[in-house]
Amino acid sequence: IRDIEFLGDDNIYFAGKRRGYSTFLKSVNGGVDWSQTGLDSYQEVHDLVVVSKSIFLVALGSEIKKTTDGGESWYAVEINSDSSVQANEMCFPSADIGYAVCSGAMDNMLKTYDGGESWESLNTNVTANLTAVHFFDENHGIVMGENGIILRTDNGGTTFIEEQPAIPAEPSAITLFPNPVTD
């Protein structure tokens, strides 16, 4: 199991790989019974996103698949990128707008305006593999990646600002008196 999502107490969704084959499992009765659907892929599932009660997307490495019927059938969506990308994680701040971070030479972030039907490249100006994304709304988000990369955007990914995480100063020497001390 690679990812798990919940929609209320009864609806539970899993995505992962079973016997070398990408798969999606769902329960609509709190985990008592499960149904399984293959994703027609041998690629590793990286992320599962629930957009609405019946619309889900999975990041499967070099492809993103979508279902609009609660996981009964899946289809590959269009990715418009000049280079090969490996989708790692997705975030949908609304039903239409979504973001995906990727591993790839230059196109390491994608955006959708149509609920995940098609994806366009965003220019992050970094070449690191991006691994995590969270958008608080359609414009404000944070992205993280390898080598401590942290990016912030306040305009829906039109531009990104690289954040420098605070690095703690070296601990300074402490002299204790009297020596030895107790308590």
Side-chain angles (χ1 to χ4, degrees), residues 124 126 130 141-143 149-153 160-163:
T124 63
V126 299
L130 300 179
I142 190 163
V143 176
I149 292 288
I150 300 174
L151 304 173
R152 177 179 52 85
T153 183
F160 289 90
I161 299 167
E162 188 169 347
E163 298 289 326

Side-chain angles (χ1 to χ4, degrees), residues 51 55-57 64-68 75 77 92 94-98 111-119:
V51 179
I55 300 174
F56 315 121
L57 287 103
I64 296 173
K65 290 198 171 188
K66 182 176 181 178
T67 180
T68 58
Y75 58 93
V77 298
F92 276 76
S94 72
D96 292 324
I97 305 294
K111 183 175 183 178
T112 181
Y113 297 91
D114 57 10
E117 291 294 324
S118 62
W119 296 81

Side-chain angles (χ1 to χ4, degrees), residues 131-177:
T131 56
V133 58
H134 181 78
F135 272 73
F136 306 97
D137 57 39
E138 292 180 5
N139 291 313
H140 301 89
I142 190 163
V143 176
M144 290 175 253
E146 291 180 342
N147 303 319
I149 292 288
I150 300 174
L151 304 173
R152 177 179 52 85
T153 183
D154 295 324
N155 55 19
T158 302
T159 58
F160 289 90
I161 299 167
E162 188 169 347
E163 298 289 326
Q164 297 298 323
I167 299 172
E170 291 292 322
S172 57
I174 299 173
T175 304
L176 298 177
F177 182 82

